[in-house]
Amino acid sequence: MRSIWNGSISFGLVTIPVKTYSATDRTSSVSFVRIHEKDGAQIQYRKICELDGEEVPNEEVGKGYQAPGDDAIVPITDEDLSRLPMPTAKTLSILSFVDPDEIDPLQMDKAYYLGPNGAAATKPYALLREALEDHRKVALGKVAMRGRESLAMLRAHNGAIVMHTLLWPDQLRPATGVAPDEVELRENELTLAETLMDSLGELDPAELHDDYREAVEELVAAKLEGEPVAPAASGTSGAQVIDLTAALEKSVRAARGGQEAGTEAEPASVTPIRGRKTAKKGEAEQGAAKKSGAAGKKATAKKTASATAKKAPAKKTAAPKSAGGRTKGTSTAKKAASKSTAKKSTAKKTAARKTSKRSSA
């Protein structure tokens, strides 16, 4: 890599000469050029002077400063800037060592690798790197690069020291009017969200890639070969109402791998706003069908029970047994029979007496 800035790190009385390398590559991102739609020719940008309307060559382009709210422009030369007192012009002065959590990620601007510049810088460079890593701290300081002074943060990363230029605190805009008002959340929703966070696991950086860039490259290749361009899949349009709890539960099951292999994840319960009335009507019809089905089942059950009762033969009721082992019904019948026999014999005796009296008379 080619170094873009040479300077030194001031660490107390220790000076570490370093070379700076860009840690990011933005050339791989998708970028477009402006063309004339009529003939496809690329449009050129020319520097035109507002006074005479003529094109200005690059060697005649200089710097100027325009104060906010003022139309006057003050010319500034490189010689003027060189005379300014800027101790951080070639030196990154470390001001303090802080915890990484104290740096707001919104302040992160650009990232650079710092490497030792010369054999004499190797040992102090390694010392600072190991101290940052073992102490779990980051160094905070100021540095001047490309004509401006910036805050800088140093941290150990993959055996090297990385410098992040930071925005000044007054360059951060407040979030006023961005966040919603107080929203009432249920305890189970928060628990499911945290469970889903734990279930997703770690992320493999090798799996990350720019899908949009790949789609653009495929589109360009298809146009060059004269092939038809496949239409993009249309997404769901319109606002949607989501059952948050159901969506979280299904997401947790999918993240834990609870579904069978080869089956797709069941979509979250989503109902478009425009179709809410239709959905309610369908739910009402389903409810009515369920009720009528339940009533029919009850009526069928009653008919079956009555038919079974008619077909079933009457069971004989067993008479309760007496203490002697004989049934009460049997002993009662015998007593009734003996009484009837006694009455008949008494009637016969009475009739015989009457007949004898008549014959003697």
Side-chain angles (χ1 to χ4, degrees):
M1 290 188 291
R2 183 177 62 88
S3 63
I4 60 175
W5 181 81
N6 294 341
S8 61
I9 300 175
S10 175
F11 175 32
L13 297 179
V14 179
T15 300
I16 310 172
V18 293
K19 289 184 177 183
T20 305
Y21 308 89
S22 180
T24 59
D25 182 13
R26 300 189 181 185
T27 58
S28 60
S29 61
V30 176
S31 60
F32 300 97
V33 297
R34 296 186 179 274
I35 63 171
H36 188 194
E37 292 184 352
K38 184 178 181 179
D39 52 20
Q42 185 173 348
I43 297 176
Q44 297 182 356
Y45 292 92
R46 298 181 179 180
K47 301 177 179 66
I48 305 298
C49 179
E50 292 184 353
L51 293 179
D52 55 20
E54 295 182 359
E55 184 177 355
V56 180
N58 290 333
E59 57 270 13
E60 295 182 9
V61 177
K63 297 184 182 70
Y65 181 80
Q66 184 177 11
D70 192 353
D71 294 335
I73 299 178
V74 180
I76 302 294
T77 64
D78 293 338
E79 186 179 355
D80 295 334
L81 296 176
S82 64
R83 288 196 294 262
L84 292 178
M86 188 180 292
T88 59
K90 286 293 183 179
T91 303
L92 192 157
S93 302
I94 295 179
L95 303 177
S96 63
F97 293 88
V98 299
D99 292 330
D101 295 339
E102 296 184 25
I103 305 298
D104 192 339
L106 288 176
Q107 291 184 257
M108 299 288 187
D109 190 12
K110 295 182 180 180
Y112 302 91
Y113 288 124
L114 299 182
N117 188 4
T122 302
K123 186 172 183 179
Y125 178 91
L127 176 63
L128 177 59
R129 179 196 61 197
E130 295 299 324
L132 291 173
E133 189 171 1
D134 293 344
H135 207 40
R136 297 181 181 180
K137 296 283 187 178
V138 296
L140 190 62
K142 294 193 296 184
V143 63
M145 292 178 61
R146 296 179 177 177
R148 64 183 64 187
E149 188 177 55
S150 303
L151 285 174
M153 181 189 74
L154 302 182
R155 67 183 180 96
H157 176 70
N158 288 342
I161 296 178
V162 178
M163 179 181 71
H164 295 270
T165 56
L166 305 177
L167 300 176
W168 297 98
D170 58 358
Q171 292 180 293
L172 302 182
R173 295 179 177 177
T176 306
V178 177
D181 297 333
E182 294 184 1
V183 181
E184 184 178 356
L185 297 175
R186 290 181 292 181
E187 187 67 25
N188 63 329
E189 293 173 345
L190 185 59
T191 302
L192 285 171
E194 294 173 352
T195 303
L196 177 59
M197 293 168 62
D198 296 335
S199 301
L200 289 177
E202 298 180 356
L203 181 65
D204 185 5
E207 297 178 357
L208 301 177
H209 58 278
D210 191 347
D211 294 330
Y212 180 73
R213 184 184 66 187
E214 293 180 358
V216 171
E217 292 174 351
E218 293 177 1
L219 172 64
V220 172
K223 282 183 170 291
L224 289 175
E225 296 178 1
E227 298 179 356
V229 180
S234 59
T236 305
S237 59
Q240 296 176 339
V241 177
I242 301 177
D243 186 347
L244 184 58
T245 303
L248 288 170
E249 290 175 349
K250 292 174 183 177
S251 300
V252 170
R253 289 197 298 269
R256 288 179 173 177
Q259 296 181 350
E260 297 180 0
T263 59
E264 296 182 356
E266 189 176 346
S269 177
V270 179
T271 304
I273 287 180
R274 293 180 179 177
R276 289 177 69 180
K277 294 183 179 179
T278 306
K280 289 182 179 179
K281 184 177 180 181
E283 292 176 359
E285 292 177 355
Q286 290 179 0
K290 288 182 179 179
K291 290 181 179 179
S292 62
K297 288 182 180 179
K298 289 182 179 180
T300 305
K302 288 183 179 180
K303 290 181 180 179
T304 305
S306 60
T308 305
K310 289 180 180 180
K311 290 181 180 180
K315 294 182 179 180
K316 294 182 180 180
T317 304
K321 291 184 179 181
S322 61
R326 296 179 180 180
T327 59
K328 292 182 179 181
T330 304
S331 60
T332 305
K334 287 183 178 181
K335 288 180 180 180
S338 61
K339 287 181 179 180
S340 176
T341 304
K343 287 181 179 180
K344 288 180 179 180
S345 59
T346 303
K348 286 180 179 181
K349 290 179 179 181
T350 305
R353 287 176 182 175
K354 289 181 178 179
T355 304
S356 62
K357 286 181 179 181
R358 288 176 180 175
S359 60
S360 62

